[in-house]
């Protein structure tokens, strides 16, 4: 189903726009990518001994795949709450400029944007760039709410399925599902790398972690992340200055 | 499936909120609060984004190098091979 034209009566109410947002979930390949990622997060939560309710709450209230996997992996391997909190907050700063840009829509009130701000995450962001030009300006918030609501529902379903699969499948198949999330993040980050600094941050981040883990400092993930990220920023700075 | 697997204990949920929900949500709420008054392309944000990417990359490495649960039963070479083969297919 294609979206109705901008002047269609199909856009006459907020609820209709919410419905079109909800239906647009079926119009993007990213829904499948999210499903696979959250299937993996459900399975990962199971194998690191978190409850299903915990996994669902993390999807509902954190609603950011990278933060969730950082949380599960750090806490699941015995990391401290403080280390997990710092790692999550560093990963979440990305959301800040997205919400700021969302606020650029003039004449909208802050409370109307509250729900949309919570739903703001990378996938939704990418989809907004694609869909919003096709949506009348005054119906965009309702549309985004519908799209976000649909994506959250897909991910909660995927979490539940992944959790039960991990509980019931043979070890080999269970292992395959556990690989879904790291692989999907690796590929999507690699694909979204636009400049050299992104590639350096990704590659060095992967390579430095095993080294940092040897130090066994209790904040390994922060050590490798800060080091690799700062070197990547150095590369960015060097290229900018020379340009 | 047991009660512990479905619901778990409340302490774990408290940890989820302290270490996950609050540190994550605070940036969305700050974005909402500050609105348009911020330069979103600033150098500081470039640095932070690089660190965020590197932390995520580190966690990906952590799952592959120190695998949890069922994944631990898969030999090292097969896990590394899967990542390598995937990357080659994906980027190729």
């Amino acid at each position: 189903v294609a979206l109705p034209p901008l002047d269609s009566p199909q856009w006459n109410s907020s609820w209709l726009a919410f419905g079109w947002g909800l239906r647009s979930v079926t119009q993007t390949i990213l829904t499948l990518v999210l499903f696979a990622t959250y299937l993996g997060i459900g399975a990962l939560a199971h194998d690191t001994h978190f409850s299903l309710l915990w996994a669902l709450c993390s999807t509902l209230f954190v609603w950011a795949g990278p933060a969730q996997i950082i949380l599960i992996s750090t806490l699941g391997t015995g990391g401290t709450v403080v280390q997990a909190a710092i790692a999550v907050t560093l990963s979440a700063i990305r959301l800040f400029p997205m919400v700021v840009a969302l606020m650029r829509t003039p004449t909208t009130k802050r409370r109307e944007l509250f729900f949309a701000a919570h739903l703001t995450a990378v996938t939704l962001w990418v989809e907004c760039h694609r869909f919003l030009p096709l949506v009348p300006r005054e119906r965009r918030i309702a549309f985004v709410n519908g799209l976000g609501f649909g994506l959250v529902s897909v991910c909660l379903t995927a979490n539940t399925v992944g959790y039960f699969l991990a509980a019931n499948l043979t070890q080999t198949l269970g292992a395959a599902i556990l690989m879904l999330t790291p692989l999907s993040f690796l590929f999507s980050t690699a694909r979204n790398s636009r400049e050299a600094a992104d590639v350096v941050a990704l590659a060095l981040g992967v390579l430095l972690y095993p080294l940092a883990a040897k130090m066994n400092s209790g904040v390994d993930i922060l050590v490798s992340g800060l080091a690799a990220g700062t070197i990547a920023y150095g590369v960015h700075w060097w290229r900018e200055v020379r340009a | 499936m047991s009660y512990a697997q479905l619901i778990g204990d409340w302490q774990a949920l408290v940890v989820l909120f302290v270490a996950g929900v609050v540190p994550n949500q605070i940036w969305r709420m700050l974005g909402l609060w500050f609105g348009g008054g911020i330069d979103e392309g600033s150098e500081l944000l470039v640095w932070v984004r690089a660190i965020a990417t590197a932390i995520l990359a580190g966690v990906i490495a952590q799952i592959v190098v120190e695998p949890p649960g069922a994944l631990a039963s898969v030999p090292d070479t097969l896990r590394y091979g899967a990542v390598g083969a995937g990357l080659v297919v994906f980027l190729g």
Side-chain angles (χ1 to χ4, degrees):
Chain A
V1 272
L3 291 175
L6 286 176
D7 53 3
S8 157
Q10 285 293 325
W11 292 114
N12 277 354
S13 88
S14 291
W15 285 108
L16 283 171
F18 184 92
W20 283 110
L22 200 57
R23 236 171 295 180
S24 298
V25 169
T26 60
Q27 299 302 302
T28 158
I29 185 79
L30 286 180
T31 302
L32 280 179
V33 176
L34 267 189
F35 189 86
T37 308
Y38 277 80
L39 199 71
I41 289 181
L44 210 55
H46 175 271
D47 278 34
T48 39
H49 311 294
F50 289 102
S51 68
L52 178 61
L53 179 69
W54 191 97
L56 294 178
C57 282
S58 87
T59 298
L60 207 51
F61 297 116
V62 176
W63 187 235
Q68 286 174 257
I69 190 177
I70 288 169
L71 203 55
I72 292 176
S73 196
T74 338
L75 293 174
T77 53
T80 63
V81 175
V82 174
Q83 178 185 213
I86 296 174
V88 166
T89 211
L90 284 171
S91 84
I93 298 177
R94 278 165 321 117
L95 300 173
F96 177 70
M98 292 184 197
V99 179
V100 166
L102 182 80
M103 290 289 292
R104 287 278 153 79
T105 6
T107 72
T108 33
K109 291 188 194 70
R110 226 171 238 139
R111 62 185 160 78
E112 294 178 73
L113 283 166
F114 183 79
F115 196 49
H118 170 66
L119 292 171
T120 300
V122 175
T123 300
L124 188 88
W125 186 245
V126 173
E127 291 306 309
C128 282
H129 277 281
R130 204 160 66 97
F131 285 123
L132 286 190
L134 308 171
V135 178
R137 202 165 279 280
E138 69 278 10
R139 295 287 175 243
R140 285 185 181 170
I141 298 176
F143 181 88
V144 169
N145 286 344
L147 181 64
F149 182 82
L151 290 177
V152 172
S153 309
V154 166
C155 291
L156 290 174
T157 310
N159 274 163
T160 311
V161 174
Y163 199 91
F164 280 97
L165 284 180
N168 294 302
L169 282 181
T170 60
Q171 240 176 11
T172 320
L173 285 173
I177 294 179
L178 288 178
M179 285 298 277
L180 281 177
T181 311
L183 286 181
S184 89
F185 278 130
L186 188 63
F187 298 161
S188 60
T189 314
R191 200 183 50 175
N192 293 336
S193 295
R194 273 157 311 188
E195 52 167 317
D198 298 326
V199 179
V200 174
L202 182 63
L204 269 188
V206 168
L207 295 175
L208 286 188
Y209 173 75
L211 289 180
K214 287 211 188 338
M215 297 177 6
N216 225 336
S217 59
V219 286
D220 305 336
I221 201 79
L222 294 178
V223 171
S224 70
L226 275 173
T230 305
I231 295 171
Y233 176 75
V235 170
H236 161 86
W237 184 83
W238 187 67
R239 288 169 63 100
E240 295 274 288
V241 168
R242 279 177 39 121
Chain B
M1 185 150 299
S2 68
Y3 175 85
Q5 276 189 311
L6 286 177
I7 312 291
D9 51 19
W10 64 269
Q11 287 98 330
L13 289 175
V14 172
V15 169
L16 170 65
F17 273 80
V18 173
V21 176
V22 174
N24 191 67
Q25 214 66 284
I26 192 162
W27 296 108
R28 289 187 178 122
M29 295 309 124
L30 280 175
L32 206 52
W33 186 254
F34 280 111
I38 291 282
D39 174 18
E40 57 198 86
S42 80
E43 289 293 290
L44 184 65
L45 275 172
V46 175
W47 183 52
V48 168
R49 213 187 55 206
I51 293 176
T53 302
I55 288 181
L56 181 61
V59 166
I60 292 169
Q62 187 178 38
I63 293 173
V64 177
V65 177
E66 306 160 4
L71 201 51
S73 66
V74 179
D76 288 358
T77 46
L78 202 56
R79 288 198 310 273
Y80 302 145
V83 175
L87 260 185
V88 168
V89 170
F90 181 81
L91 298 173

